[in-house]
Amino acid sequence: MSDHNENPPLGTMTPRRRPKPDVKEIDGRRLKPSTLMMGHGFDPKLSEGSLKAPIFLTSTFAFESAAAGKRHFEGITGKRPGGAEGLVYSRFNNPNQEIVEDRLSVWEEAEDALVFSSGMSAIATTMMALVSQNDVIVHSGPLYAATETMIAKIMSKFGITFLDFPAGAKPEDIQEMLQKAKDIADDRGSKVALVYLESPANPTNALVDIEGVSAARDAVFGTGDDMPPVAIDNTFLGPLWQRPLDHGADIVLYSLTKYVGGHSDLVAGAALGEKRWLDPIRAMRNTIGTITDPNTAWMLLRSLETVELRMSRAGENAAKVCAFLKTHPKVEGLGYLGMIEDARQQDIYERHCLGAGSTFSVFIKGGEEESFRFLDNLKIAKLAVSLGGTETLASHPAAMTHISVSDDRKAALGITDNLVRISIGVEDADDLIADFAQALDAV
Ligand SMILES: *Cc1c(COP(=O)(O)O)cnc(C)c1O
């Protein structure tokens, strides 16, 4: 037996990096995520009493001993399950990234978390880890444009094929599609490797029935080895307003660039879920180096301290702004989760969502010309893509983020020339209403 199965002699252990014990409850009361964001996963005693975690700007870490180095590499390479127990090299792990992962897990009550250099690198690394040559992917539509590109243009280079269903599809139609995907995979001698969701869909805010998808997956595949995981991009509503792991999803993906980062000053991503799903993704991240850097990880620690405060305020602001816009004579309609008109969408909302979010679409009476006039007259809201920051942003998807989408597909997805997408920030709600009022007057 090799030495890693024995208890290492005292003095050869890596100095501990995580606080012990980490206070997670007081007198039987489980502490809330917003409380844990200030200290969980970091012990000032381990860093000269520094209240905030220092930024560990180092590419590599000195081993206590040769045996410790061997043990750490066994963890990194998966020779020994459970991941690395020590710090090795910043492409694999670093303290700032590990603290962010510990804190992100708290929000989702996830067993494990991985942070990435961007939302897209989280999504791409997940797909590369879980999908093999000739496999089949089933996904909801529409998806974030770069995710669509990843599946349709990049994964397809490896012989991967895909089927997609509209976000609001009924469970029986999803089940039929999964069965079709399984038949295709059986014919090809491959497997359905991934069920990939994005909910709500951008920019229409159409919701996917995560519970329905998970039940359909179980019905078609059972719980055997060939069961594909259900992964979901939760960027628009997480971590506050939707908890997909509670509804049968296996992997939750994020662009942390949006609400979690929240200040429009960083780019990062994450994947959360059970270790059984994340271990291969971690191994892929170790290989290709899509981990977040220490500076960005430190910024995310700053952001997580206020994520509940920011999202709550933005959500309250959005409700007030939408109440104003709803009855405005120059507004044709709203795509806001707090004012759903479709009964099936409302049912999905009530089962899955804890809040309506602060990103929505507003349909201006008229077309591109009227929408542009509205956008050009905004004084507080800035014209920019992205969302989830402290500042209010407005954009025109048909002419910007979705400009390369064909007219047919735009029509099918409901991306019209009079659709303006708004992401509400944490400004004063009445100031925002005054801004929208004067911009609409100018139309
Ligand atoms: C922004 C975004 C992404 C991509 O994230 P990056 O951090 O820009 O790589 C993926 N999905 C959704 C829903 C997004 O909004």
Side-chain angles (χ1 to χ4, degrees), residues 138-220:
V138 179
H139 72 81
S140 65
L143 297 177
Y144 185 73
T147 308
E148 294 229 6
T149 303
M150 181 68 203
I151 294 173
K153 305 237 168 84
I154 299 176
M155 299 310 280
S156 64
K157 289 202 289 189
F158 306 100
I160 284 138
T161 190
F162 64 91
L163 295 177
D164 66 322
F165 59 87
K170 297 196 189 74
E172 54 269 29
D173 296 335
I174 296 166
Q175 185 166 333
E176 201 174 298
M177 178 153 293
L178 287 172
Q179 186 59 53
K180 197 170 140 196
K182 186 172 186 297
D183 294 342
I184 293 172
D186 287 347
D187 276 351
R188 302 174 126 215
S190 66
K191 65 181 187 300
V192 178
L194 183 63
V195 180
Y196 187 93
L197 314 177
E198 188 174 312
S199 181
N202 176 35
T204 55
N205 265 351
L207 293 167
V208 179
D209 186 345
I210 307 165
E211 290 172 351
V213 170
S214 167
R217 186 269 315 266
D218 293 350
V220 173

Side-chain angles (χ1 to χ4, degrees), residues 118-120 123 144 147 198 233 235-236 255 257-258 267-268 387:
S118 71
M120 278 321 301
I123 292 165
Y144 185 73
T147 308
E198 188 174 312
D233 183 335
T235 298
F236 271 58
S255 168
T257 313
K258 314 296 168 53
V267 173
L387 61 127

Side-chain angles (χ1 to χ4, degrees), residues 62-348:
F63 301 136
E64 279 282 283
S65 63
K70 178 180 177 189
R71 214 167 47 245
H72 298 346
F73 262 93
E74 285 167 343
I76 291 290
T77 54
K79 253 183 113 140
R80 195 165 36 78
E85 70 179 57
L87 295 159
V88 175
Y89 181 69
S90 289
R91 198 179 80 235
F92 306 141
N93 55 10
N94 69 66
N96 298 104
Q97 156 257 327
E98 289 191 341
I99 302 166
V100 176
E101 289 174 351
D102 286 352
R103 291 190 190 173
L104 276 177
S105 306
V106 166
W107 285 101
E108 306 274 342
E109 293 179 83
E111 187 184 7
D112 204 358
L114 299 167
V115 284
F116 294 86
S117 56
S118 71
M120 278 321 301
S121 70
I123 292 165
T125 307
T126 298
M127 289 185 181
M128 288 168 72
L130 301 178
V131 185
S132 302
Q133 193 174 16
N134 295 331
D135 280 352
V136 182
I137 295 175
V138 179
H139 72 81
S140 65
L143 297 177
Y144 185 73
T147 308
E148 294 229 6
T149 303
M150 181 68 203
I151 294 173
K153 305 237 168 84
I154 299 176
M155 299 310 280
S156 64
K157 289 202 289 189
F158 306 100
I160 284 138
T161 190
F162 64 91
L163 295 177
D164 66 322
F165 59 87
K170 297 196 189 74
E172 54 269 29
D173 296 335
I174 296 166
Q175 185 166 333
E176 201 174 298
M177 178 153 293
L178 287 172
Q179 186 59 53
K180 197 170 140 196
K182 186 172 186 297
D183 294 342
I184 293 172
D186 287 347
D187 276 351
R188 302 174 126 215
S190 66
K191 65 181 187 300
V192 178
L194 183 63
V195 180
Y196 187 93
L197 314 177
E198 188 174 312
S199 181
N202 176 35
T204 55
N205 265 351
L207 293 167
V208 179
D209 186 345
I210 307 165
E211 290 172 351
V213 170
S214 167
R217 186 269 315 266
D218 293 350
V220 173
F221 297 92
T223 50
D225 279 349
D226 65 346
M227 178 185 85
V230 174
I232 176 167
D233 183 335
N234 198 37
T235 298
F236 271 58
L237 290 180
L240 239 62
W241 298 314
Q242 180 167 263
R243 293 161 48 89
L245 297 178
D246 293 348
H247 303 288
D250 302 299
I251 301 166
V252 181
L253 294 158
Y254 277 100
S255 168
L256 301 176
T257 313
K258 314 296 168 53
Y259 284 100
V260 175
H263 297 69
S264 305
D265 57 4
L266 62 85
V267 173
L272 296 103
E274 287 179 19
K275 276 192 195 303
R276 66 183 277 220
W277 298 117
L278 293 204
D279 277 345
I281 305 172
R282 186 196 324 275
M284 181 61 73
R285 186 185 70 174
N286 284 348
T287 303
I288 65 179
T290 43
I291 195 168
T292 193
D293 66 279
N295 274 302
T296 304
W298 187 93
M299 302 265 282
L300 286 165
L301 293 176
R302 174 273 328 244
S303 292
L304 280 169
E305 294 184 0
T306 57
V307 68
E308 184 181 54
L309 211 56
R310 286 182 286 103
M311 291 182 77
S312 302
R313 167 68 171 238
E316 288 163 18
N317 280 357
K320 290 179 189 163
V321 167
C322 286
F324 163 78
L325 292 172
K326 188 182 164 67
T327 55
H328 197 284
K330 289 184 181 164
V331 171
E332 196 176 276
L334 286 174
Y336 169 56
L337 292 178
M339 298 172 179
I340 297 174
E341 278 162 16
D342 177 85
R344 159 118 179 104
Q345 283 288 307
Q346 183 64 26
D347 169 55
I348 300 176

